[in-house]
Amino acid sequence: MQVDIVEASLSDKPIIRNLMQLYLYDLTEYEPIPLDAHGLFNYNYLDHYWIEKGRFPFLFKVNENLAGFALINQHSNSGKHVDYSMAEFFILKKYRLTGISKQAAFCLLDKFHGTWEIAVGKENKPAQAFWRKIISDYTQGNFEDLSNGCGGWHGPIHRFDNSK
């Protein structure tokens, strides 16, 4: 299977908003994310990805079918300089463990060169294992692992530079 990475247009925002519900639901296994009065999860920064510089929304497609999304920004969770940060990364369960996640991650990392941070929730052990492997493979082990977090983030933060 091959994943296509599509930069999300403004007309794609409702799609990402819908996929965000699945993503945040998955995260409730590790974090206490509340529902609003309408039974929905809120993601306060979604609109910002279409109105602020330095924010990049993407959709993932497999055979033209939606497979997930990613949100990249320039926020540092460590408090150190960063050019890019993987704010959110979601692959539908049916595509997990197929290689699609790795393809999507590598493709996104290749699009943006500079100092990266990927922060992972303290309790989300599957995501920690995934990102540690992805980043290790991508950088051939050349990354900084702030295992105890820092800058107010609770959980590991992985930092690396892929400048060419």
Side-chain angles (χ1 to χ4, degrees):
M1 281 192 277
Q2 178 68 34
V3 64
D4 292 317
I5 310 296
V6 179
E7 190 165 352
S9 67
L10 184 59
S11 66
D12 293 323
K13 183 167 56 167
I15 296 169
I16 292 182
R17 188 177 311 280
N18 291 340
L19 290 171
M20 185 68 73
Q21 294 300 302
L22 301 172
Y23 170 66
L24 293 173
Y25 173 77
D26 280 359
L27 287 181
T28 63
E29 187 173 345
Y30 311 104
E31 300 176 30
I33 303 170
L35 291 170
D36 68 13
H38 304 285
L40 298 172
F41 296 103
N42 287 316
Y43 186 80
N44 295 332
Y45 304 104
L46 186 60
D47 291 338
H48 298 252
Y49 281 85
W50 286 271
I51 59 175
E52 291 180 8
K53 288 181 125 180
R55 292 181 183 262
F56 311 94
F58 293 93
L59 286 169
F60 305 145
K61 294 186 177 185
V62 174
N63 298 328
E64 300 194 28
N65 295 310
L66 288 171
F69 71 90
L71 300 176
I72 296 171
N73 63 35
Q74 297 176 318
H75 174 76
S76 171
N77 285 296
S78 69
K80 298 180 179 185
H81 166 78
V82 67
D83 294 308
Y84 302 103
S85 176
M86 188 71 68
E88 314 299 342
F89 184 91
F90 175 69
I91 300 288
L92 290 168
K93 285 185 179 182
K94 73 184 253 177
Y95 295 112
R96 295 178 193 168
L97 303 175
T98 65
I100 292 300
S101 300
K102 183 175 183 175
Q103 283 181 49
F106 274 40
C107 183
L108 286 173
L109 297 173
D110 283 344
K111 284 184 178 293
F112 300 95
H113 296 156
T115 301
W116 274 87
E117 266 189 13
I118 299 177
V120 186
K122 181 179 182 180
E123 302 301 324
N124 194 341
K125 303 300 183 196
Q128 289 178 23
F130 169 78
W131 282 113
R132 192 169 286 115
K133 171 120 178 69
I134 291 296
I135 295 165
S136 182
D137 288 354
Y138 184 80
T139 66
Q140 299 175 347
N142 188 19
F143 67 99
E144 180 182 11
D145 188 1
L146 306 174
S147 295
N148 297 323
C150 60
W153 181 260
H154 302 288
I157 299 172
H158 309 292
R159 292 178 52 85
F160 60 94
D161 192 315
N162 68 347
S163 297
K164 302 271 176 181

